[in-house]
Amino acid sequence: MSRATHPGACPLDCPDACMWQVTVEDGRAVALRGDRDHPFTRGALCGKVNRYLDAVNGPDRLIHPLVRTGPKGVGPVSYRPASWDEAIGRVAAGLRASIDRDGPEAILPYYFAGTMGLVQGWTMGPRLFAHLGASRLETTICTAAARAALRSMYGGSVGFEPESIVDAKLIVLWGANLLSTNLHQWPFIQEARQRGAYVVTIDPLRTDTAARSDEHVAPLPGTDAALALGLMRHVLDAGSADRAWLSAHTVGWPELASRLGEWPVDRAATECGLPVEVVRRLGDRIATTRPTAIRVGLGLQRHHGAGQAIRAICALPLVTGDFRYPGGGALCMTGGHHPINEEAVVRPPDMPAPPARSVNMSRLATALTDEADPPVTSLVVFNTNPAATAPDQTRVHAGLRRADLFTVVLEQRWTDTCDFADLVLPATMQPEHLDLHTSYGHHYTTLNLPVTRAPGEALPNTEIFRRIAAALGLGHPRLRDSDEELARQLLRDAPVSFEELRERTYARTTGVAVGSAPYAEGGFPTPDGRARLLDPGLARQGVDPLVGYTPPVEAADPELARRFPLVLVAPAGRFFMNSTFASLPWHAGRMGPPRVHLHPDDAAARGLTDGEAVRVHNDRGAFLAAVAVDDATRPGLAFTYKAYWARLSPGRATVNAVTAVRDTDLGGGPTFHDTRVEVEPVPAALLAVETAPEPDRETAGPRG
């Protein structure tokens, strides 16, 4: 028996991008732990990833290509195993049929962050479809509004150096439930607290992070920009605006100062549904405490005014001059610090890529039903599960059921989206393939090498796309690049080579030193190095160029509130990672069945008790859940955790049955948290989950 331990990287959609150590016996992963030497993640793995090998070694791994033989939407019983030659031939034939009938733009590749790995997720698949002239996917479903806002204000997704937060004296966690979504930042915050820092969480819900903070401020959903404007006004009134730094390193301060005249603290408090003394007290802290660090989460961008919200929050430390100091400023994402140009690898200069239309992935429901011209007639899905995660689920499923839609899914286990596929192709998992990982929460890049055998006939995404390219008769040599060659191309402008990463596994790949203040003297990645409180380019997009407030749509609609009085948000849970783990028994058991959390006042008004079965509905659809009565929320605000699968949920629907296809003001992102619903009791028997019978795994497909 051979036994060895190998380094690698967690591939999941999380800012922490942990380095881990996986122990392998005879080609099989048998143990997993965090790497204790990593400077940021320091040896800890989160609760969900501690059980990652449940996914790798699970009995439900897909091990053969599968071809649909029955109706769409009923599960694995409608599929039979096929050879790779047959499956790839069918894929090529289906794509060619779309091209011949409607042109290459009728093909839509649909992918996201099921793996954050750049090689398996963001190179060969997008490269193939760009070369074909297929529709180009706008990958908006998570961070589009934030990226657009940060690009407008700072010139990119940049901010304070995350390890320097230990030097902050005031830490504001704005819409950031770190204990669920950015766990490894928390020890740095705890170190800051030991040095005397005060921690405030701003979140409509009393999350785990809010409960462990020194103070919790709970504004109405979608009103974050109003709160930021009121706080800036308070700083200005207190004489604490850093006018010298603003003059030297920003554009638009006089205009913003004038606008702040419209935002006294009492107006901001009223808009946010907060006591005025709460806003004033927080304003006092921000005005008098240097350095202040604002860690901005991503959940607060999921409403119509998201772009302006991120801009307003990120303007606050410009007004106070906090970027002068290590540990001061704002941070939402670190991706702009990494010198890796994915676009140049997807569309190399020596490889033709015809111009093509763009399709917003957050608008999949409309793209598949009524918005696309020419229609989408081929859909290739990888690294995502849109039947569970895209908004307006009822229309998404209707589109996926179309008889004329040819759908191919690359997957590791059977998901909601597989139910609608014509072909399901088995893909490898992290210990089984090569990948390269940057982070959107720290400054390190990690190389992951294959160390275990893939189950059955599973292949890396990259190899599947190489085979599809060959079957289509595409001869460009860039479509034969190996995974190692792709990694080298990604690292072309990085300060570390592939050989160095193979030796060291990870390296700091940004020019920002630990504990530094990278923007103390300006130098933002804008054309003139100044941060933009006023961005004239936004006017061309129909957006106010000056930092301001755009209210939410449904949450602020009094007419809609009469019919659907509850605002619904769907945060991330502690034991699901988007939809990755929703079918695994341990993870699903820790999360429990779907619940809708109601404040005691809202439950009493409807005669509902804890555990009672309810239907949560609006004009778009409905889902079933049990009531959880608690005061983690405020009256008029309900929440339920995202990422459950429809096929494993009562009524075969999830929270996305009620969410809308509606764009954020910047970036075209989704508005999951800008939703109104009503809740009504239903018979308890409706909460039972019925699943379709499934055949034996060895002959026809996976279990579960």
Side-chain angles (χ1 to χ4, degrees), residues 113-131:
T115 174
M116 290 294 289
L118 301 177
V119 174
Q120 299 302 328
W122 307 91
T123 56
M124 189 57 73
R127 177 184 286 187
L128 164 62
F129 292 110
H131 185 56

Side-chain angles (χ1 to χ4, degrees), residues 374-566:
V376 174
T377 56
S378 282
L379 181 70
V380 181
V381 178
F382 56 103
N383 296 346
T384 188
N385 181 17
T389 60
D392 202 349
Q393 188 174 85
T394 303
R395 272 207 293 173
V396 170
H397 288 193
L400 291 171
R401 282 193 177 90
R402 281 172 34 207
D404 66 330
L405 179 67
F406 175 70
T407 301
V408 180
V409 176
L410 284 63
E411 256 304 349
Q412 299 158 351
R413 56 189 15 86
W414 199 273
T415 66
D416 286 355
T417 307
C418 293
D419 281 353
F420 302 95
D422 293 280
L423 290 112
V424 179
L425 307 179
T428 49
M429 293 188 70
Q430 187 75 345
E432 302 153 8
H433 57 228
L434 183 148
D435 222 328
L436 185 71
H437 293 263
T438 57
S439 165
Y440 59 96
H442 59 65
H443 289 243
Y444 301 89
T445 294
T446 309
L447 178 67
N448 184 87
L449 295 174
V451 295
T452 62
R453 291 189 304 268
E457 300 177 274
L459 294 174
N461 287 349
T462 46
E463 176 59 20
I464 294 172
F465 288 122
R466 284 189 281 264
R467 293 188 183 193
I468 293 171
L472 287 167
L474 302 175
H476 198 285
R478 285 280 172 256
L479 294 172
R480 298 192 295 273
D481 283 348
S482 69
D483 289 2
E484 183 174 319
E485 288 170 327
L486 292 169
R488 290 178 185 277
Q489 292 163 24
L490 288 161
L491 291 168
R492 186 169 293 145
D493 298 324
V496 63
S497 68
F498 181 84
E499 285 74 20
E500 290 174 296
L501 282 179
R502 186 162 52 192
E503 178 69 23
R504 297 158 50 191
T505 304
Y506 69 90
R508 194 172 179 92
T509 51
T510 75
V512 179
V514 173
S516 66
Y519 304 110
E521 299 301 326
F524 292 94
T526 55
D528 61 2
R530 293 170 175 255
R532 294 180 290 221
L533 299 166
L534 175 69
D535 179 8
L538 295 183
R540 293 189 289 273
Q541 303 176 41
V543 177
D544 188 341
L546 182 62
V547 167
Y549 171 51
T550 301
V553 173
E554 293 194 12
D557 185 338
E559 291 297 322
L560 193 63
R562 279 191 269 276
R563 298 174 55 220
F564 302 111
L566 296 172

Side-chain angles (χ1 to χ4, degrees), residues 236 243 246-247 250-261 319 530 533-534 546:
L236 184 60
R243 295 177 183 274
L246 282 162
S247 176
T250 70
V251 174
W253 167 240
E255 293 86 350
L256 178 57
S258 177
R259 172 162 286 178
L260 294 179
V319 173
R530 293 170 175 255
L533 299 166
L534 175 69
L546 182 62

Side-chain angles (χ1 to χ4, degrees), residues 91-162:
V91 173
L95 298 181
R96 279 290 175 207
S98 285
I99 293 171
D100 293 345
R101 184 172 57 248
D102 296 305
E105 289 181 321
I107 300 172
L108 177 63
Y110 194 93
Y111 54 94
F112 199 62
T115 174
M116 290 294 289
L118 301 177
V119 174
Q120 299 302 328
W122 307 91
T123 56
M124 189 57 73
R127 177 184 286 187
L128 164 62
F129 292 110
H131 185 56
L132 271 177
S135 292
R136 295 180 181 173
L137 189 72
E138 298 173 13
T139 52
T140 60
I141 200 102
C142 185
T143 60
R147 283 185 282 120
L150 294 168
R151 188 167 55 247
S152 167
M153 176 159 286
Y154 295 160
S157 296
V158 299
F160 67 73
E161 196 280 316

Side-chain angles (χ1 to χ4, degrees), residues 8 23 37 59 139 230 248 267 345 476 520 542 616 695 699:
T23 301
D37 295 327
T139 52
R267 179 188 174 190
V345 178
H476 198 285
V616 185
T699 60

Side-chain angles (χ1 to χ4, degrees), residues 115-455:
T115 174
M116 290 294 289
L118 301 177
V119 174
Q120 299 302 328
W122 307 91
T123 56
M124 189 57 73
R127 177 184 286 187
L128 164 62
F129 292 110
H131 185 56
L132 271 177
S135 292
R136 295 180 181 173
L137 189 72
E138 298 173 13
T139 52
T140 60
I141 200 102
C142 185
T143 60
R147 283 185 282 120
L150 294 168
R151 188 167 55 247
S152 167
M153 176 159 286
Y154 295 160
S157 296
V158 299
F160 67 73
E161 196 280 316
E163 294 172 58
S164 73
I165 204 168
V166 297
D167 295 316
K169 300 304 179 188
L170 173 63
I171 299 172
V172 180
L173 305 176
W174 204 315
N177 182 11
L178 301 189
L179 292 174
S180 286
T181 62
N182 189 192
L183 179 64
H184 297 87
Q185 185 76 76
W186 189 251
F188 292 90
I189 292 170
Q190 290 292 76
E191 183 176 342
R193 291 176 99 171
Q194 291 167 6
R195 300 181 185 186
Y198 188 85
V199 179
V200 179
T201 290
I202 301 175
D203 197 301
L205 307 177
R206 193 182 69 248
T207 63
D208 291 343
T209 304
R212 297 191 193 186
S213 299
D214 298 303
E215 185 176 348
H216 174 212
V217 176
L220 292 168
T223 63
D224 304 277
L227 179 56
L229 289 164
L231 292 171
M232 283 187 275
R233 168 65 183 274
H234 189 86
V235 168
L236 184 60
D237 289 347
S240 297
D242 191 334
R243 295 177 183 274
W245 196 90
L246 282 162
S247 176
H249 303 305
T250 70
V251 174
W253 167 240
E255 293 86 350
L256 178 57
S258 177
R259 172 162 286 178
L260 294 179
E262 306 166 7
W263 281 96
V265 168
D266 55 352
R267 179 188 174 190
T270 298
E271 189 70 28
C272 298
L274 291 169
V276 67
E277 60 270 19
V278 169
V279 180
R280 189 168 289 125
R281 183 174 64 242
L282 180 56
D284 285 339
R285 288 191 182 278
I286 292 172
T288 59
T289 310
R290 306 275 76 76
T292 289
I294 302 178
R295 185 67 174 91
V296 186
L298 295 172
L300 63 84
Q301 66 168 328
R302 309 202 199 288
H303 61 87
H304 177 61
Q308 282 287 42
I310 299 286
R311 292 180 73 217
I313 295 166
C314 290
L316 184 50
L318 301 176
V319 173
T320 58
D322 272 295
F323 277 108
R324 286 183 184 269
Y325 314 102
L331 174 65
C332 183
M333 295 182 289
T334 60
H337 291 286
H338 292 279
I340 290 178
N341 187 348
E342 300 161 32
E343 185 66 19
V345 178
V346 170
R347 297 178 181 83
D350 62 344
M351 185 177 188
R357 70 178 175 189
S358 293
V359 174
N360 183 339
M361 71 181 304
S362 298
R363 303 188 64 85
L364 182 64
T366 55
L368 292 183
T369 54
D370 62 14
E371 198 170 75
D373 183 19
V376 174
T377 56
S378 282
L379 181 70
V380 181
V381 178
F382 56 103
N383 296 346
T384 188
N385 181 17
T389 60
D392 202 349
Q393 188 174 85
T394 303
R395 272 207 293 173
V396 170
H397 288 193
L400 291 171
R401 282 193 177 90
R402 281 172 34 207
D404 66 330
L405 179 67
F406 175 70
T407 301
V408 180
V409 176
L410 284 63
E411 256 304 349
Q412 299 158 351
R413 56 189 15 86
W414 199 273
T415 66
D416 286 355
T417 307
C418 293
D419 281 353
F420 302 95
D422 293 280
L423 290 112
V424 179
L425 307 179
T428 49
M429 293 188 70
Q430 187 75 345
E432 302 153 8
H433 57 228
L434 183 148
D435 222 328
L436 185 71
H437 293 263
T438 57
S439 165
Y440 59 96
H442 59 65
H443 289 243
Y444 301 89
T445 294
T446 309
L447 178 67
N448 184 87
L449 295 174
V451 295
T452 62
R453 291 189 304 268

Side-chain angles (χ1 to χ4, degrees), residues 577-653:
M577 172 59 72
N578 298 328
S579 78
T580 297
F581 296 124
S583 66
L584 299 180
W586 184 88
H587 295 79
R590 294 302 293 266
M591 283 296 296
R595 296 182 178 89
V596 59
H597 294 251
L598 300 178
H599 187 274
D601 292 352
D602 291 321
R606 292 160 178 79
L608 298 172
T609 57
D610 197 79
E612 191 166 353
V614 293
R615 176 176 177 263
V616 185
H617 65 96
N618 58 22
D619 290 334
R620 287 178 291 273
F623 67 97
L624 301 174
V627 169
V629 180
D630 62 48
D631 60 0
T633 184
R634 52 185 291 162
L637 175 62
F639 75 92
T640 187
Y641 291 112
K642 68 176 183 177
Y644 286 91
W645 291 4
R647 67 191 309 268
L648 301 176
S649 297
R652 296 182 70 88

